[in-house]
Each structure stands twice: as structure tokens, then as C-alpha cells.
């Protein structure tokens, strides 16, 4: 928090954190941010999930039309309750750790700390991912079926074991570490580089976070596809069985056409892993084997499926999350501002 009064220039920097702010406030602000972000963007996430689990590539519009006819408009919010249940503690931990890291590293000085900004985001997302991954697994499976959460959870543990709730934690971290680092780094840097003369407003925060979210989405889409495969595989069996004979024939032809020695060896390893997977009932066992499966069955295009809904989801998600967080934090600062701060803010508002 800084106040400068010099030569008739008044600046009230409410966006700079006061290190004395209780961490409970950061946790409450983070919880509001998480619920606002995930619940508002869930329809886009539902479309992305359906696009990524199918071996064909129907496209964003066709997938939306299919879902509208099959589950209706409200069906796009399937999984909202379990998502909200997970994102409250996950985002509370994320933003409180983020603020604590910024305080320890002395990053609240208004200067550029490009690498350290990214590091704070990466540190915060580690605990966030461990908390939210089991909830995200259940959410995605509910998005693909009409089953209730308790039935999905019971079947998962019976068929795949308790570990299935955490199988995607490594790839989730592989996605979210660079994603969170990119979002925080770009967002914080833009706020410093393009700070308006009279301080940031709601819309400037929205713009900075939205741009940061778009950048993160482009960086992490292949890993997001892998994560979806790992998290939804028992549900995918029913979807795969619905493929047409032409699709199955096309997949086989694509595999046969790969004539190089490297690809042949790759295919043999893939077949061996598939035989093992069939005997255990688990198709996607780890990250490398999932990469093999996607490449041989869908080609390189399989790694960018869902990029459109991911960008449509990630940009506003980051914008909503960070703007809500800043707004709730600002509300707390306004409620506890000193008389000197109040005078400066009122003079600044009058000047505007």
C-alpha cells in the first residue's frame, strides 16, 4: 500500500498488497474467485471434455449442438456441485500461498520481477492441484454420463482402485505449473507495465488477466488432452464402442501406414501396453503410454483437440478469478483504510 502526495499529484495504490492483511482474507477472496471462475465457465469445460475423449474430431459447434440435443442447456453444468466443493479449499490455499510467497520474496514493491512472479504462481498451484484433482476427476466423469457422484466414485474405486482419483496428479501439475507460472507472470507484469495514470480499475484487471489466461491455454493444451484421457478412461469405453465402422477402419489404416522402423517399434510397444491394459481394465496407465495411444490412434491432431473451448474457457476463467480476487481484497482494504488513506482516495476520485 502506498500513498504519494507531491505537486498536486495523488496516487492511491489499492492494488498493492498490505503485508499485514490477514491470510483469512486472502483465503476468503480466493474461495469467491474459485467458485466464480469454475461455475461460470463449466459449460465450456463440458464441451472441451466431450471433444477430447472422442477419437473423431467433431469440432466445437457440432459438439455443442450434440450436447444441446442430448442433455439440454442445463446439462452443460453437470458436475457443478462437486467442482464447487473442490475449488473452495483449493483456491483458498492457492491465493494464500501466493500472497505469502510474494511477501517472503518482497514482491509487493511495484517493480518487475518476471521470473519470481512465475515462481510464486508455480509454488501456489502445487497444493492447489493436490486438493482439486480428485474433485476434477469426478466432475469430468459426471460430465460424460448421467450418473450421480456417489455411483461414479463407488465404481471408480471398485474398477480402478482408490489411486484412480490421483492418477492424473503428475500430468495435472505438468499442465498447471507452467500455466500458473504463465498467468501470474504475464498478469503481474502487465499490471506494472501498463498501469493507468490513476491506478488500475476493474476493467484493466480484467484485460490483464484475460490476456494471461489466453497465453497459458496455448502453452498447455497437449497436456490437457492427456489429463482428460487419464481421468475419464472407464467412461470412454462406452463412448468408444459407439464409433462407426468407418472410424475404426480409418484408425487401423493410419496405424498400418506408419512404415518407419521407429514407428513400428512404437506400435509394438503400444500393442503390448494395450494388451496389458485390457487384462487389467485400465487403458491409460501413465503419461508416456497415453501419449503413445493418442498418437497412434489419432495422430498429432489428437494433442490439440479442444484448443478452441480451452482458450474460450481459460481466458475468461483467469479474468474472472483474478478480478474477483482483487475486488474482494479491495473491499477489505476499503473497510479497513486509515483516515489518511480515505482522504487521499476521496481527493483522487474528485480529481477524476
Amino acid at each position: 500500500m502506498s500513498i504519494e502526495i507531491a505537486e498536486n499529484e495523488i496516487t492511491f495504490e489499492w492494488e498493492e498488497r498490505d503485508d499485514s492483511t490477514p491470510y483469512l482474507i486472502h483465503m476468503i477472496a480466493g474461495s469467491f474467485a474459485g467458485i466464480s471462475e469454475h461455475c461460470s465457465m463449466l459449460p465450456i469445460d463440458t464441451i472441451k471434455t466431450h471433444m477430447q475423449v472422442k477419437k473423431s474430431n467433431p469440432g466445437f459447434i457440432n459438439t455443442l449442438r450434440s450436447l444441446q440435443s442430448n442433455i439440454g442447456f442445463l446439462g452443460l453444468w453437470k458436475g457443478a456441485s462437486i467442482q464447487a466443493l473442490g475449488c473452495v479449499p483449493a483456491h483458498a490455499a492457492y491465493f494464500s500461498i501466493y500472497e505469502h510467497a510474494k511477501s517472503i520474496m518482497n514482491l509487493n514493491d511495484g517493480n518487475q520481477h518476471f521470473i519470481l512472479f512465475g515462481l510464486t504462481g508455480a509454488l501456489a498451484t502445487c497444493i492447489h492441484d493436490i486438493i482439486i484433482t480428485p474433485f476434477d476427476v469426478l466432475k469430468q466423469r459426471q460430465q460424460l454420463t448421467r450418473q450421480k457422484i456417489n455411483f461414479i466414485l463407488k465404481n471408480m474405486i471398485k474398477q480402478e482402485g482408490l489411486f484412480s482419483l490421483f492418477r492424473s496428479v503428475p500430468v495435472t501439475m505438468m499442465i498447471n505449473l507452467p500455466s500458473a507460472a504463465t498467468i501470474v507472470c504475464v498478469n503481474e507484469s502487465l499490471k506494472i507495465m501498463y498501469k493507468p495514470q490513476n491506478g488500475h480499475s476493474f476493467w484493466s484487471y480484467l484485460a490483464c488477466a484475460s490476456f494471461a489466461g489466453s497465453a497459458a491455454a496455448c502453452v498447455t493444451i497437449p497436456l490437457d488432452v492427456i489429463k482428460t484421457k487419464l481421468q475419464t478412461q472407464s467412461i470412454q469405453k462406452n463412448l468408444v464402442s459407439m464409433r462407426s465402422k468407418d472410424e475404426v477402419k480409418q484408425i487401423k489404416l493410419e496405424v498400418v501406414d506408419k512404415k518407419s522402423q521407429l514407428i513400428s517399434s512404437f506400435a509394438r510397444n503400444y500393442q503390448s501396453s494395450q494388451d496389458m491394459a485390457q487384462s487389467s481394465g485400465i487403458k491409460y496407465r501413465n503419461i508416456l503410454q497415453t501419449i503413445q495411444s493418442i498418437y497412434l490412434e489419432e495422430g498429432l491432431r489428437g494433442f490439440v483437440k479442444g484448443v478452441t473451448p480451452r482458450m474460450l474457457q481459460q481466458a475468461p476463467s483467469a479474468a474472472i478469478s483474478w478480478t474477483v480476487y482483487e475486488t474482494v481484497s479491495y473491499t477489505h482494504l476499503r473497510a479497513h483504510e486509515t483516515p489518511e488513506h480515505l482522504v487521499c482516495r476521496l481527493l483522487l476520485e474528485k480529481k477524476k
Side-chain angles (χ1 to χ4, degrees), residues 18 31 40 47 54 67 86 188 213 276 302 328 336:
D18 186 346
S31 298
S40 62
I47 297 170
K54 294 180 180 178
L67 291 175
E188 294 288 349
M276 185 183 300
V328 174
H336 295 82

Side-chain angles (χ1 to χ4, degrees), residues 324-349:
V324 169
Y325 176 71
E326 298 287 356
T327 302
V328 174
S329 298
Y330 173 49
T331 302
H332 172 264
L333 291 178
R334 284 281 297 271
H336 295 82
E337 62 186 353
T338 65
E340 292 82 4
H341 289 179
L342 176 61
V343 171
C344 289
R345 179 173 56 80
L346 293 176
L347 290 174
L348 177 60
E349 291 176 354

Side-chain angles (χ1 to χ4, degrees), residues 126-191:
C126 288
I127 302 301
H128 168 277
D129 290 350
I130 293 174
I131 296 173
I132 205 170
T133 294
F135 297 94
D136 192 54
V137 172
L138 295 172
K139 177 212 67 178
Q140 285 198 315
R141 297 194 181 212
Q142 191 173 42
Q143 286 175 326
L144 298 171
T145 68
R146 299 179 185 273
Q147 300 170 353
K148 294 184 178 180
I149 288 295
N150 58 347
F151 182 81
I152 294 174
L153 179 60
K154 181 180 178 180
N155 277 354
M156 277 186 63
I157 296 175
K158 181 179 179 180
Q159 296 177 13
E160 305 173 48
L162 186 62
F163 177 71
S164 60
L165 290 169
F166 298 92
R167 183 180 290 116
S168 61
V169 167
V171 72
T172 299
M173 286 195 175
M174 287 175 64
I175 296 170
N176 288 346
L177 285 176
S179 177
T182 301
I183 289 176
V184 174
C185 180
V186 173
N187 183 48
E188 294 288 349
S189 297
L190 285 177
K191 288 194 298 182

Side-chain angles (χ1 to χ4, degrees), residues 96-113:
S96 58
I97 292 172
Y98 161 72
E99 291 293 349
H100 186 59
K102 284 182 66 178
S103 177
I104 291 176
M105 297 180 188
N106 195 26
L107 304 183
N108 293 320
D109 56 3
N111 297 322
Q112 282 283 13
H113 303 281

Side-chain angles (χ1 to χ4, degrees), residues 239-271:
L239 297 175
V240 171
S241 65
M242 296 171 61
R243 289 179 296 171
S244 67
K245 293 182 178 179
D246 291 337
E247 289 178 314
V248 175
K249 183 178 179 181
Q250 180 63 31
I251 291 173
K252 292 181 178 179
L253 288 175
E254 289 177 357
V255 175
V256 171
D257 287 340
K258 304 180 188 302
K259 297 181 179 179
S260 69
Q261 183 177 359
L262 177 61
I263 299 301
S264 296
S265 175
F266 198 51
R268 285 194 297 271
N269 292 334
Y270 164 73
Q271 186 60 49

